[in-house]
Amino acid sequence: SIFKAMASRKRAQKNEGKTVSKHWELVGVAIAVFGFMLFLALITFDKRDFMPETNAHQSYNCIGIVGAYLGKGFLNLFGIGAFLIPLIFIGLGLSLPIPILKKIRLRWPWIILLMATLCCILEIHTNLLPSKIIDNMMLIHGGGYLGYMLYEHVFFIFGKVGATTVLLALYLLSILLLSNISIADISNSILERYRLWRIEMIRRRKE
């Protein structure tokens, strides 16, 4: 009958939806695992892996030679800012199987803004970074090619001080938008705590 056909169609659509959901969960787990491996590749990055005398079968990176080249690629692109990338991958990956983290996916524009501003700030102030870290990570640009391109072709018009001011403002804005924190709520909370502290101090004086 028509009703039975409609019911079976609904069941088929429901099962198909579950299958798609399972596929996305697996994709999310894979992205999160990749983020964790990238984190390990970055924190154990060692320039000795790229020395001519280093044995190709013995790597100083805990993810092996793959981790060495993976880390080098991300460090070249993002500089020190590359250490934020694994957290982004892990967060985005976990947001697929865990509904409570869904908001992370919806805020991807602010993640891009956060990364771009961080890399540009690091590029402007590469000279302030420890030379030992710069040398071991084989960095030419503290903010990687991304930071270099942004500063040399966009933010150079503001000068170093002006660019730093603009970038810090954008960086803080991206954090506020990512965390969904309201400046008004923060200021009201601080004022409320100050008011309660004043009341408590007055009460103690009266005692």
Side-chain angles (χ1 to χ4, degrees), residues 97-145:
I98 303 175
I100 198 172
L101 299 176
K102 183 182 176 182
K103 291 181 179 179
I104 296 175
R105 297 200 311 271
L106 301 177
R107 293 171 184 166
W108 61 266
W110 313 126
I111 294 175
I112 294 173
L113 179 63
L114 181 74
M115 275 303 306
T117 51
L118 176 61
C119 289
C120 201
I121 290 170
L122 289 168
E123 173 59 27
I124 295 171
H125 300 288
T126 299
N127 60 313
L128 299 179
L129 299 172
S131 57
K132 188 175 180 181
I133 292 176
I134 295 293
D135 179 59
N136 186 59
M137 293 184 176
M138 305 171 70
L139 291 175
I140 299 173
H141 306 288
Y145 291 123

Side-chain angles (χ1 to χ4, degrees), residues 11-203:
R11 283 196 298 270
Q13 288 175 349
K14 190 175 181 181
N15 291 333
E16 186 180 348
K18 285 182 179 179
T19 304
V20 172
S21 177
K22 282 288 183 184
H23 287 165
W24 278 113
E25 286 179 5
L26 292 173
V27 170
V29 171
I31 293 171
V33 170
F34 174 77
F36 181 67
M37 290 185 70
L38 177 59
F39 171 73
L40 293 176
L42 288 170
I43 62 171
T44 60
F45 182 83
D46 197 310
K47 69 176 183 179
R48 289 178 293 177
D49 280 324
F50 302 93
M51 298 296 181
E53 62 273 12
T54 302
N55 189 333
H57 298 284
Q58 183 180 4
S59 175
Y60 293 94
N61 196 294
C62 71
I63 309 296
I65 197 68
V66 172
Y69 279 96
L70 185 67
K72 190 174 188 294
F74 274 86
L75 287 169
N76 284 341
L77 283 173
F78 304 105
I80 302 296
F83 286 91
L84 189 60
I85 299 291
L87 297 178
I88 294 173
F89 274 119
I90 292 170
L92 289 174
L94 293 178
S95 71
L96 290 171
I98 303 175
I100 198 172
L101 299 176
K102 183 182 176 182
K103 291 181 179 179
I104 296 175
R105 297 200 311 271
L106 301 177
R107 293 171 184 166
W108 61 266
W110 313 126
I111 294 175
I112 294 173
L113 179 63
L114 181 74
M115 275 303 306
T117 51
L118 176 61
C119 289
C120 201
I121 290 170
L122 289 168
E123 173 59 27
I124 295 171
H125 300 288
T126 299
N127 60 313
L128 299 179
L129 299 172
S131 57
K132 188 175 180 181
I133 292 176
I134 295 293
D135 179 59
N136 186 59
M137 293 184 176
M138 305 171 70
L139 291 175
I140 299 173
H141 306 288
Y145 291 123
L146 175 62
Y148 172 76
M149 295 296 288
L150 283 173
Y151 180 67
E152 289 297 320
H153 297 284
V154 181
F155 290 99
F156 75 96
I157 59 174
F158 297 105
K160 284 193 174 183
V161 175
T164 301
T165 304
V166 172
L167 288 164
L168 281 174
L170 290 172
Y171 184 74
L172 291 173
L173 176 65
S174 63
I175 290 175
L176 289 172
L177 291 169
L178 272 172
S179 58
N180 204 26
I181 296 173
S182 168
I183 295 176
D185 290 341
I186 294 172
S187 59
N188 289 335
S189 177
I190 293 171
L191 289 172
E192 180 64 19
R193 289 188 180 188
Y194 176 72
R195 187 183 67 82
L196 293 173
W197 177 78
R198 286 286 303 274
I199 292 171
E200 181 65 20
M201 292 300 293
I202 292 170
R203 187 184 64 78

